[in-house]
Amino acid sequence: DCQVGCMIAAGSVYPYSCRPEDVWESMQKDREAYFFIDVQARGAYPTYAKKLWEREGITVDVTEEDAHILKENTAALSYYNSRCVRTDGQGEATGGNVFASAKNPYLMCSQWGWPIDPMGFRITLNALYDRYEKPLFVVENGLGAVDVLTPERTVLDDYRID
């Protein structure tokens, strides 16, 4: 009765502005992030990938057995932060777990420069469920910080709770 699936380092990509170029770039970045889970959770290669491969002259052979295996999976995720993209080359960048991004002026950042975005966690969970309609398991999330032990050997982490 175990449910086994893939894992994604999830976090929605916001367009920095409503400029169509920024919106398009955020969609492209989401596609890059979702590609492997799209294949695993949907059981087929997504149309956007097939079109890219066609333009690049790439052929991918998928057997019936491959397709069957891919159709029966569940998704797990780690959420650290959202990202933001802008195409005008302006503005400040932020740090991130794996992906740096444009600094979102509406979010505070952790000591490591990662955006703190609890609403982004909700947005990401809803986007993943809407996209796959499969059970989601949160593997990791939280706030990375430089913790300091007290003389009692505990960590006072109200900042993380907040």
Side-chain angles (χ1 to χ4, degrees):
D1 294 327
C2 292
Q3 294 185 355
V4 179
C6 60
M7 199 287 273
I8 180 173
S12 296
V13 179
Y14 302 135
Y16 184 80
S17 73
C18 57
R19 287 179 63 234
E21 294 86 356
D22 286 352
V23 174
W24 177 254
E25 185 66 15
S26 72
M27 188 174 87
Q28 296 304 317
K29 293 297 182 187
D30 272 341
R31 283 177 168 176
E32 288 173 16
Y34 290 142
F35 171 71
F36 292 106
I37 194 171
D38 277 351
V39 174
Q40 293 173 354
R42 292 178 172 168
Y45 289 102
T47 303
Y48 63 83
K50 291 178 185 177
K51 289 290 185 186
L52 173 65
W53 296 338
E54 183 181 306
R55 288 191 298 271
E56 299 291 328
I58 298 169
T59 303
V60 177
D61 294 321
V62 180
T63 67
E64 285 184 35
E65 182 182 8
D66 294 335
H68 176 73
I69 291 169
L70 291 174
K71 289 235 182 251
E72 299 178 6
N73 291 293
T74 298
L77 64 120
S78 293
Y79 177 84
Y80 302 103
N81 56 270
S82 58
R83 294 181 286 152
C84 188
V85 294
R86 62 188 298 171
T87 58
D88 62 7
Q90 303 296 309
E92 187 179 350
T94 66
N97 185 23
V98 177
F99 313 102
S101 74
K103 184 173 176 130
N104 186 329
Y106 300 100
L107 300 175
M108 294 183 350
C109 290
S110 72
Q111 293 171 287
W112 298 339
W114 301 6
I116 300 171
D117 189 8
M119 178 58 79
F121 185 42
R122 176 69 183 265
I123 291 167
T124 298
L125 289 171
N126 280 264
L128 288 171
Y129 188 80
D130 289 350
R131 190 175 187 111
Y132 304 119
E133 296 181 349
K134 294 185 180 274
L136 300 173
F137 299 94
V138 178
V139 180
E140 293 181 322
N141 86 318
L143 173 69
V146 179
D147 294 321
V148 178
L149 286 176
T150 67
E152 295 79 27
R153 304 202 43 80
T154 61
V155 174
L156 304 176
D157 62 351
D158 289 345
Y159 52 86
R160 181 174 283 116
I161 294 165
D162 291 343

